[in-house]
Amino acid sequence: MALLELRNVSKIYHLGGEEIRALDDVSLDLEQGEFVSIIGPSGSGKSTLMHILGCLDSPTRGNVVLAGTEIARASARELARVRNRTIGFVFQFFNLLPKLNVLQNVELPMIYAGIGGKERRERAEKALEMVELGHRLKNRPNQLSGGQQQRVAIARALVNNPKIILADEPTGNLDTHTGELILALFRRLASEGRTVILVTHNPEIAAVTPRRIEIRNGKIAHQVDAKLAGLDRLPGAAHGGRNP
Amino acid sequence: MSLESPRVPSTELQLTDLPVDKTSLGNAVMVGLKEIWAHKFRSALTMLGIVLGVSSLVAMSAMVQGMENGQREAMLAIGGLEKVRMEAQRVPVEQRHLRDMARGMTLADVEALKAGVPDIEVIAPEMRLELDPTLQANGKYHRTFMTGGILPEKVRIMEHEVEHGRMFNDIDASEARPVCIIGTGIRDELFGRPEDTGAEVVPVGKTMTINGQPFTIIGMFKRYEGEQERKQRLESEAERQRLKSEGKAPPKGPARGQGRSGSFAFWIKNNTVYMPLNTMWHRFQAGLSNAPPEPRLSNIELKVRDFSKIEQTLAKIRNIMMVNHRGIEDFAFRTFEDWSADIDRFVKNARMSGGLIAGISLFVGGIGIMNIMLASISERIREIGIRKAVGAGGLDIFVQILVESTVIAVVGGLLGLAFSRLVVMGIAWVAPTGNNPVITGGAMALAFGFAVVVGLLAGIFPAVKAARMDVIQSLRYD
Ligand SMILES: Nc1ncnc2c1ncn2[C@@H]1O[C@H](COP(=O)(O)OP(=O)(O)O)[C@@H](O)[C@H]1O
Ligand SMILES: [Mg+2]
């Protein structure tokens, strides 16, 4: 059983009578420990897909199954719990709270996990040391560079020890060098056994990941999985998942 | 980069296995306090309504409490609840045709009641001058209103105490001698106040005219005053002593808070002039052309032995009076139960109107809080989205907003309690009365409780709104 499955998922928006299929009947399996990149042009539905994978949004049609449990039937409270414990989300624009310092930002998910003050601080410090920001605990986000802010956001995503890391264009707002450092961090996380899913529009970055999924007009256009020997390219399948 | 990350658990994940979220209330309170501190000026303006509401509620209740205490004190000073008063009144309209048969209240009534109602402890008739008489002595004039001809029982019923000289006796009465006993208020007006002269003034033995007829003052009552008045008087006396001992001239003139500012009841009591009933009859009534054949009383006061049986006793008294007066109601009852009920009604009305004002302030304060919380959440849509994205549930957000609005109300309430003391002191300074305002713990608790409830209620709508915000939409918002 896959860790995270999408079954015939569609997300449809209605704008002034016009129907926008941000996701159009997508099926997808993600295994534990996979390192996956999602590529595609702007507006193709990458963010929508990530939001549904990350339990931030629910599909109009179809099913999301996380560790054997159907998310469509989960309550808002349960979804919040999944976001809190099972999934770490990294955004393109960092999404740190400007009024809180670095340490408090990283402590935030643990507050909602009901973890006590002392343990919270210890774990936040450890996570920040891991992204090499152990010396900037008391700084406000606006006192940090973009790369540093994104590392704080990664520390925040990691601090509750989630199984799945979702990153929506995490290097999109960073220079190439900083982007590479962030990318190395994600590779490391994947090698530790976490499922890491990365959205990018940069083919060079996508080339790093063993598995690549290309999205066009809300559908999966191509899939490449280097791990599956001899199957470098799968035919683009409107209804297909990874396995035919 | 050196990475040392926590190990990922390999066991299959079950949603239902996850521990239940615990919202840390202390944490929410801290967030709320920080939010208030971050917007100091805005928060202060928001709190103003609550501060005013709480302080006006407490101050109002303190004033009313003070007045109530003063009234009850005064009521006790003139005989308490056990006292019943019958006043002569005009024959009611429906009995006008019997007017010529009405002979008013007389000493015969007093005798009949004494004989017929054993539950009467003491009974005292009084004959007043119909018009307020003019007193003259020591070259000064004074117009007074409490001049009555009485039997000695009156002194008992009014709880008068003769401090100087003596009360008139049976011989004074039977010979209708021109003697009188006065209160200290009369003395103050005609012979000077001890505060001004620096020594007690006792005009016993002096002559005073009442409507031109000379009387000898044979006694003076003690000075009656409320708790508050006495305190102030003793303070200013001590001050005068201190100045004297330091060799400085004591200030002339009335000290603040003295004179007539005291309770009305004590002031009236101090302005009494009593003479024997028989003297009043012979010197002021009997000689008149339309004089009645026997002394006509203005009122009869009596005290019942057992207050719990006052209804039966009153009924008995009424019976005897009706028989004596052949059914003509030329008298009326007035019990101090009426007065007590008046006090209760006054207190209730004052509380209601004060409570209404305070309630409106608190309501407006609540609207202010709700407004500021709505502004606050629309400023923080993105923050709320981020909190939800990292795992805050709707309940967490709901509690956070509710705590913030309650914290504003609690801080405002505490400031209001502190401010109420200033308000009470200010009012007492601007308009001193004999009734010291009394801030009660109950009033403080009530006002504070209201403030907290207002904060909670004002927070509910914004909190629900924030809790229901969509995560993705909130994150997209800038
Ligand atoms: N809330 C929304 N209302 C209407 N249309 C939306 C909404 N969110 C996304 N879309 C549309 O869905 C499509 C996919 O958007 P998105 O997933 O953000 O694309 P990408 O991240 O690949 O650039 C776009 O055409 C976008 O305009
Ligand atoms: Mg996008």
Side-chain angles (χ1 to χ4, degrees):
Chain A
M1 185 174 54
L3 178 60
L4 190 54
E5 298 170 41
L6 298 193
R7 292 196 201 125
N8 307 99
V9 165
S10 295
K11 183 74 183 180
I12 299 166
Y13 294 107
H14 295 277
L15 270 185
E18 203 187 334
E19 197 183 75
I20 299 170
R21 293 177 174 256
L23 282 183
D24 192 359
D25 203 21
V26 171
S27 295
L28 190 64
D29 278 10
L30 294 162
E31 304 292 340
Q32 179 165 337
E34 270 197 300
F35 191 18
V36 185
S37 62
I38 296 175
I39 52 172
S42 183
S44 56
K46 304 183 296 293
S47 293
T48 307
L49 176 64
M50 290 296 268
H51 293 155
I52 287 172
L53 288 173
C55 295
L56 288 166
D57 208 354
S58 43
T60 315
R61 271 186 234 133
N63 242 327
V64 182
V65 182
L66 173 64
T69 305
E70 280 191 22
I71 292 300
R73 287 209 237 109
S75 68
R77 190 170 164 73
E78 281 170 328
L79 287 183
R81 226 178 276 168
V82 170
R83 291 198 293 272
N84 191 227
R85 316 284 166 79
T86 314
I87 292 166
F89 213 106
V90 179
F91 300 90
Q92 178 177 355
F93 297 104
F94 323 133
N95 274 344
L96 300 173
L97 291 186
K99 281 185 232 153
L100 303 186
N101 65 30
V102 165
L103 188 69
Q104 290 166 330
N105 263 290
V106 177
E107 281 186 30
L108 205 58
M110 291 187 284
I111 286 176
Y112 297 117
I115 294 168
K118 193 162 167 278
E119 188 189 345
R120 222 156 60 203
R121 200 193 150 89
E122 282 167 11
R123 275 169 62 173
E125 278 178 14
K126 213 169 151 196
L128 281 163
E129 271 161 29
M130 203 185 77
V131 298
E132 298 186 335
L133 282 172
H135 58 295
R136 306 296 296 266
L137 301 181
K138 298 290 171 193
N139 284 84
R140 292 293 180 90
N142 62 7
Q143 295 168 318
L144 301 179
S145 72
Q148 286 170 327
Q149 289 188 52
Q150 194 59 299
R151 271 145 64 197
V152 174
I154 291 170
R156 182 180 67 187
L158 284 175
V159 80
N160 270 349
N161 197 16
K163 292 188 162 193
I164 303 166
I165 305 273
L166 299 170
D168 191 354
E169 304 201 38
T171 59
N173 267 26
L174 304 176
D175 61 70
T176 322
H177 175 67
T178 317
E180 274 166 14
L181 289 178
I182 298 290
L183 209 61
L185 204 51
F186 282 116
R187 197 184 302 151
R188 177 72 192 245
L189 294 174
S191 73
E192 283 167 357
R194 291 180 217 269
T195 306
V196 178
I197 303 157
L198 208 64
V199 166
T200 180
H201 50 254
N202 183 346
E204 280 178 44
I205 292 177
V208 171
T209 65
R211 185 175 169 195
R212 290 180 287 276
I213 299 171
E214 194 184 331
I215 304 261
R216 255 174 226 282
N217 294 327
K219 295 180 202 254
I220 295 178
H222 295 281
Q223 277 206 68
V224 177
D225 195 339
K227 273 185 186 161
L228 297 174
L231 283 176
D232 267 348
R233 268 179 171 268
L234 284 172
H239 304 285
R242 185 163 57 99
N243 300 312
Chain B
M1 267 181 216
S2 79
L3 294 177
E4 197 207 318
S5 87
R7 192 169 295 122
V8 180
S10 58
T11 49
E12 280 294 309
L13 176 129
Q14 290 291 303
L15 288 181
T16 45
D17 284 348
L18 291 168
V20 175
D21 284 336
K22 268 182 274 159
T23 303
S24 154
L25 194 66
N27 207 72
V29 171
M30 280 311 293
V31 170
L33 284 173
K34 268 185 199 159
E35 222 25 71
I36 290 173
W37 190 244
H39 306 279
K40 286 178 267 301
F41 189 62
R42 188 170 91 176
S43 305
L45 285 181
T46 307
M47 282 174 197
L48 207 60
I50 298 290
V51 172
L52 290 182
V54 167
S55 56
S56 63
L57 195 65
V58 172
M60 175 277 306
S61 139
M63 312 287 289
V64 173
Q65 189 68 49
M67 279 186 236
E68 186 185 357
N69 288 358
Q71 293 267 305
R72 302 236 175 260
E73 193 182 40
M75 197 172 76
L76 281 180
I78 57 163
L81 271 175
E82 296 85 2
K83 207 161 93 168
V84 178
R85 184 179 168 101
M86 278 179 285
E87 276 172 4
Q89 71 166 14
R90 307 176 84 183
V91 179
V93 182
E94 67 274 14
Q95 292 185 330
R96 272 296 141 82
H97 56 285
L98 303 170
R99 190 170 39 195
D100 293 340
M101 287 159 68
R103 55 189 176 90
M105 292 196 296
T106 62
L107 287 169
D109 291 325
V110 176
E111 290 312 317
L113 290 173
K114 260 189 199 167
V117 190
D119 245 339
I120 293 176
E121 189 185 327
V122 51
I123 183 163
E126 180 176 7
M127 184 194 286
R128 290 265 182 95
L129 282 174
E130 265 190 32
L131 295 170
D132 295 344
T134 305
L135 309 178
Q136 189 201 351
N138 196 25
K140 286 183 190 153
Y141 290 89
H142 178 48
R143 190 109 195 226
T144 183
F145 49 90
M146 277 284 288
T147 303
I150 55 153
L151 298 184
E153 283 83 359
K154 183 78 176 178
V155 170
R156 220 179 114 196
I157 222 167
M158 287 295 289
E159 304 195 349
H160 273 298
E161 278 178 52
V162 182
E163 195 171 71
H164 300 281
R166 63 175 179 89
M167 185 57 200
F168 35 80
N169 54 31
D170 290 350
I171 302 165
D172 296 322
S174 61
E175 292 181 3
R177 283 185 185 161
V179 292
C180 66
I181 183 162
I182 62 171
T184 55
I186 303 290
R187 181 270 323 264
D188 289 349
E189 294 291 343
L190 295 176
F191 300 97
R193 293 155 25 114
E195 285 90 340
D196 298 337
T197 56
E200 181 64 303
V201 181
V202 184
V204 170
K206 299 249 167 69
T207 299
M208 171 178 85
T209 68
I210 301 175
N211 279 355
Q213 298 200 40
F215 276 73
T216 306
I217 300 169
I218 59 168
M220 187 170 76
F221 295 122
K222 126 183 205 216
R223 177 191 198 125
Y224 309 107
E225 58 200 341
E227 200 51 46
Q228 176 68 8
E229 260 176 298
R230 205 193 41 240
K231 237 167 43 197
Q232 281 177 352
R233 185 171 58 85
L234 292 181
E235 267 166 27
S236 68
E237 235 159 59
E239 172 73 4
R240 190 169 285 112
Q241 285 300 318
R242 197 179 61 76
L243 287 175
K244 223 182 204 168
S245 66
E246 285 173 10
K248 290 178 198 154
K252 287 269 172 192
R256 240 175 49 78
Q258 279 184 334
R260 290 188 179 181
S261 69
S263 168
F264 194 59
F266 295 113
W267 181 65
I268 289 177
K269 203 170 166 184
N270 283 329
N271 273 278
T272 302
V273 177
Y274 282 153
M275 66 183 78
L277 185 66
N278 206 28
T279 305
M280 178 66 89
W281 162 242
H282 280 290
R283 292 184 184 263
F284 293 98
Q285 209 177 42
L288 299 178
S289 57
N290 60 346
E294 54 185 320
R296 251 187 201 194
L297 303 177
S298 319
N299 65 67
I300 300 173
E301 285 188 337
L302 55 89
K303 212 165 182 174
V304 300
R305 236 180 269 281
D306 187 351
F307 180 66
S308 63
K309 287 195 285 182
I310 193 160
E311 291 301 327
Q312 295 99 295
T313 311
L314 276 179
K316 230 184 257 177
I317 293 170
R318 197 180 165 74
N319 264 343
I320 291 174
M321 290 295 286
M322 286 307 257
V323 170
N324 264 8
H325 289 237
R326 282 170 283 173
I328 302 171
E329 277 195 76
D330 53 358
F331 61 93
F333 281 92
R334 180 149 170 75
T335 63
F336 285 84
E337 220 176 355
D338 293 344
W339 188 10
S340 181
D342 283 350
I343 297 175
D344 286 346
R345 202 172 317 121
F346 160 76
V347 166
K348 215 173 110 195
N349 288 345
R351 290 225 167 104
M352 290 250 283
S353 47
L356 194 70
I357 293 169
I360 289 171
S361 297
L362 283 174
F363 181 75
V364 171
I367 301 273
I369 291 183
M370 190 186 294
N371 188 36
I372 224 69
M373 292 315 296
L374 285 174
S376 168
I377 62 167
S378 57
E379 265 173 26
R380 289 152 67 195
I381 288 177
R382 208 179 162 79
E383 174 194 325
I384 290 164
I386 293 170
R387 286 179 185 272
K388 284 185 172 178
V390 301
L395 188 66
D396 295 311
I397 301 296
F398 179 84
V399 169
Q400 181 185 335
I401 301 299
L402 211 59
V403 164
E404 279 177 34
S405 76
T406 308
V407 166
I408 291 180
V410 165
V411 174
L414 291 175
L415 289 177
L417 290 184
F419 190 56
S420 66
R421 292 191 169 272
L422 289 179
V423 171
V424 164
M425 275 159 60
I427 291 175
W429 190 77
V430 171
T433 67
N435 306 316
N436 218 14
V438 183
I439 296 181
T440 59
M444 286 171 69
L446 186 78
F448 186 70
F450 266 128
V452 173
V453 169
V454 162
L456 272 173
L457 291 180
I460 286 177
F461 175 58
V464 167
K465 216 176 153 200
R468 284 205 183 144
M469 279 183 194
D470 182 77
V471 189
I472 293 300
Q473 272 166 26
S474 314
L475 285 173
R476 284 233 173 99
Y477 190 91
D478 356 54

